[in-house]
Amino acid sequence: MDLIVAKFGGTSVGDGSRIRKAAQSVVNEYMKGNQLVVVVSAVNNATDELIELSNEAIGGGLTDKQKAEIMAMGELTSSRLFAAAIESLGVKAEFIDPYNDKWPVITDSNSLNAKIDFATTDKKCEGIKNLISQGIIPVICGFLGKGPSGEITTIGRGGSDVTAFLLGHCLSANNVVIVTDVDGVMSTDPNKIEEAELLDEISVEEMRDLATHGAQVLHPHALKYKDPLISAKIINFNNGDLSSEGTKITGPFEGDMLKTVSLYKNPISVIAIVGEEMLKKVGLLADLTSCLAENEINIFGISAGQNSITVFVEKKDSDKAYHLLHSWVIDEDVLSSLSLGDDTAMITVVSPEFIDEPGIISNITNPLRKNDINIVEISSSQTAVVLFVDWKDGEKALELIKEVLK
Ligand code: ASP
Ligand code: MG
């Protein structure tokens, strides 16, 4: 017997027949002997429409609190519809909204971007567990929260995905199923590249790095709550079947997946290659990387500017790399010289917040500046920032950055 949290996005409950089909898919799993919890979004674009309506009627005079209460009507409605649809199929269901004593998602008082109080939510989930053990299917409003004075809050647009993973975690569910209007996660945007393929599987880490790719299948913050023991997947509502395959989300595999900072165990050497005309030549990077690859030298980082390319290799490989690249620079017209720098320490910082939180780089670099630690190089890609500092400063920098991320 599995406990399944099934989250239905707006399109999957976009009209009467879709709601019936969705409810049927839940009932089918229930009949197989599984336990179910439904998390539901507002029907179609209901949230947008409610915002538009209130902007037209009230405009700038609308307070955030009022806006949250009005937006909430989307999920208040869909949860009632969904619970009634399940009941019409002969299975007991109860809609759970923030006005209900059993409501589990507790937040701070920020009306539109409320922060989840995980510990309290975790405790409040007891009430939901109770319902489940009585054979009742709880149908919980996605996106909504309850603030300190019992007021309705919302956890940010698209937040129902977060609700689903949060509840999956607190209820120790076996599965979280995200029911949406695509077949799963694609290798890229199929509207841009026709050959885009559906992925059978993607890791939490990869999914997080994909989050900025435009077509968002899943709220980037939802995976914060993904427990490694929970199997999760994204499926298309058209299947009408919660057992259909879609894309599986695996992991996370180790450590605190929210934020990590680590210092690479060995010193890293920096080789800087200079040449004025560099930008005019095609294939320089390819020549550089194949020269190192042919000699089994791994590259830890690479950055290219107007007149220089910097490559990072392990110190043990640095002499060899230096000599190989020197011969290449001599032969190459557009390059003039290269230098081998002092040993550096490589610090990698990973946080899903890098995607959408302004100022994060300066938060990391300010304490380094205050402690006179020079940053030799910094690069970032999606959720990771990599810093190179002098080898002797490595440990200290690591501690300072840990402080920032706390
Ligand atoms: N209904 C909310 C929105 O449109 C939340 C969600 O659908 O996830 O943003
Ligand atoms: Mg969504």
Side-chain angles (χ1 to χ4, degrees), residues 7 9-10 41 157-161 180 216-219:
K7 180 255 168 174
S41 290
R157 295 302 308 271
S160 299
D161 294 331
T180 180
Q216 283 198 2
V217 216
L218 193 67
H219 193 289

Side-chain angles (χ1 to χ4, degrees), residues 125-179:
C125 273
E126 284 308 313
I128 304 295
K129 286 181 192 160
N130 249 328
L131 280 182
I132 305 168
S133 62
Q134 293 169 47
I136 299 170
I137 301 181
V139 180
I140 301 173
C141 300
F143 176 55
L144 307 185
K146 189 175 185 164
S149 338
E151 79 276 27
I152 285 198
T153 59
T154 59
I155 58 173
R157 295 302 308 271
S160 299
D161 294 331
V162 181
T163 312
F165 278 92
L166 171 71
L167 294 179
H169 191 134
C170 297
L171 296 167
S172 312
N174 304 90
N175 305 291
V176 173
V177 183
I178 303 292
V179 187

Side-chain angles (χ1 to χ4, degrees), residues 12-49:
S12 71
V13 289
D15 60 34
S17 70
R18 288 183 185 180
I19 295 174
R20 201 160 53 240
K21 187 170 176 170
Q24 186 67 58
S25 70
V26 169
V27 167
N28 291 347
E29 289 305 316
Y30 181 89
M31 291 305 180
K32 289 183 199 163
N34 295 310
Q35 296 178 320
L36 285 113
V37 173
V38 173
V39 172
V40 66
S41 290
V43 167
N44 276 328
N45 303 322
T47 315
D48 290 328
E49 287 162 8

Side-chain angles (χ1 to χ4, degrees), residues 112-114 155-159 162 207-214 216 218-224 258-259 350-361 363 380-385:
L112 300 182
N113 240 318
I155 58 173
R157 295 302 308 271
V162 181
M207 188 76 196
R208 231 199 260 148
D209 286 350
L210 265 184
T212 46
H213 255 253
Q216 283 198 2
L218 193 67
H219 193 289
H221 288 174
L223 294 172
K224 272 188 193 178
L258 284 182
K259 297 167 184 171
V350 179
S351 168
E353 279 153 17
F354 293 161
I355 293 178
D356 55 6
E357 252 185 52
I360 208 109
I361 302 256
N363 287 349
S380 82
S381 166
Q382 303 291 357
T383 56
V385 175

Side-chain angles (χ1 to χ4, degrees), residues 326-348:
H326 180 250
S327 321
W328 172 60
V329 167
I330 296 287
D331 290 345
E332 184 55 71
D333 286 350
V334 296
L335 300 176
S336 64
S337 60
L338 80 170
S339 63
L340 176 61
D342 293 333
D343 300 351
T344 64
M346 180 172 86
I347 296 173
T348 306

Side-chain angles (χ1 to χ4, degrees), residues 30-275:
Y30 181 89
M31 291 305 180
K32 289 183 199 163
N34 295 310
Q35 296 178 320
L36 285 113
V37 173
V38 173
V39 172
V40 66
S41 290
V43 167
N44 276 328
N45 303 322
T47 315
D48 290 328
E49 287 162 8
L50 290 164
I51 294 174
E52 207 182 300
L53 201 58
S54 42
N55 282 341
E56 276 172 22
I58 307 121
L62 198 67
T63 68
D64 285 357
K65 185 164 179 289
Q66 290 166 332
K67 204 167 172 185
E69 277 157 2
I70 293 166
M71 279 200 285
M73 295 313 292
E75 274 75 10
L76 293 180
T77 308
S78 60
S79 59
R80 283 158 172 79
L81 278 164
F82 207 111
I86 294 176
E87 296 231 303
S88 76
L89 297 169
V91 175
K92 278 197 191 149
E94 185 174 329
F95 64 84
I96 309 284
D97 64 31
Y99 298 118
N100 189 312
D101 286 342
K102 296 180 202 110
W103 176 256
V105 183
I106 307 302
T107 68
D108 68 4
S109 60
N110 185 336
S111 297
L112 300 182
N113 240 318
K115 194 163 173 263
I116 292 159
D117 175 346
F118 182 79
T120 314
T121 301
D122 199 37
K123 275 198 214 108
K124 287 292 248 171
C125 273
E126 284 308 313
I128 304 295
K129 286 181 192 160
N130 249 328
L131 280 182
I132 305 168
S133 62
Q134 293 169 47
I136 299 170
I137 301 181
V139 180
I140 301 173
C141 300
F143 176 55
L144 307 185
K146 189 175 185 164
S149 338
E151 79 276 27
I152 285 198
T153 59
T154 59
I155 58 173
R157 295 302 308 271
S160 299
D161 294 331
V162 181
T163 312
F165 278 92
L166 171 71
L167 294 179
H169 191 134
C170 297
L171 296 167
S172 312
N174 304 90
N175 305 291
V176 173
V177 183
I178 303 292
V179 187
T180 180
D181 53 2
V182 293
D183 291 332
V185 183
M186 306 291 289
S187 53
T188 190
D189 185 346
N191 295 319
K192 295 187 179 139
I193 298 185
E194 228 179 278
E195 292 81 7
E197 282 181 14
L198 179 70
L199 308 178
D200 302 335
E201 213 177 277
I202 187 165
S203 73
V204 164
E205 291 82 356
E206 290 168 330
M207 188 76 196
R208 231 199 260 148
D209 286 350
L210 265 184
T212 46
H213 255 253
Q216 283 198 2
V217 216
L218 193 67
H219 193 289
H221 288 174
L223 294 172
K224 272 188 193 178
Y225 298 103
K226 164 84 171 63
D227 191 296
L229 298 175
I230 293 180
S231 70
K233 64 182 176 183
I234 296 172
I235 62 169
N236 196 323
F237 75 91
N238 272 325
N239 299 318
D241 178 4
L242 295 179
S243 300
S244 50
E245 290 196 336
T247 301
K248 236 174 95 182
I249 306 170
T250 61
F253 299 105
E254 54 189 58
D256 169 13
M257 53 146 323
L258 284 182
K259 297 167 184 171
T260 61
V261 48
S262 59
L263 169 64
Y264 187 68
K265 60 183 192 298
N266 300 324
I268 301 283
S269 302
V270 189
I271 300 175
I273 298 152
V274 248

